[in-house]
């Protein structure tokens, strides 16, 4: 099978909050991050997200020293697989993470990559 990913995925101990337009206003789903790259992320959620859904994702992650940072990125759900109440959702970012727009998150991923 040919590898399609442009960026290496890394584990990140973090919380992801998915914001969807639910028709009656934004719907927030909280999930655990399985892995992340500069171009996308995989989350475990307790509710499904339809493939093709446009969303905003807030990623809350720890920095060295215990500070928790939150950065936001827009993306599209590219797949959603579920078993019972656990949904494995892949999100492709509209634009790759970069040091200008998501400085702390970009730096955190760079640090993880440098250790591997």
């Amino acid at each position: 099978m040919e590898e399609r990913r442009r960026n290496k995925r890394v584990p990140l101990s973090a919380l992801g909050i998915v914001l969807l337009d639910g028709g009656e206003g934004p719907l927030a789903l909280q999930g655990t991050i399985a892995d992340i790259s500069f171009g996308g992320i995989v989350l475990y959620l307790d509710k499904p997200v339809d493939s093709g859904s446009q969303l905003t994702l807030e990623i809350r992650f720890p920095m060295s020293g215990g500070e928790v940072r939150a950065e936001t990125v827009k993306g599209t759900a590219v797949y959603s697989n579920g078993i019972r109440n656990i949904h494995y959702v892949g999100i492709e970012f509209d634009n790759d993470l970069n040091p200008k727009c998501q400085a702390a998150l970009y730096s955190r991923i760079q640090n993880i990559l440098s250790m591997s």
Side-chain angles (χ1 to χ4, degrees), residues 7 10 20 68 71 76 95 109-110:
N7 301 297
V10 297
L20 296 165
V68 175
E71 293 191 341
T76 303
N95 298 296
I109 293 170
Q110 284 287 49

Side-chain angles (χ1 to χ4, degrees), residues 74-85:
K74 292 190 179 291
T76 303
V78 292
Y79 64 83
S80 180
N81 300 316
I83 299 175
R84 296 193 182 138
N85 293 332

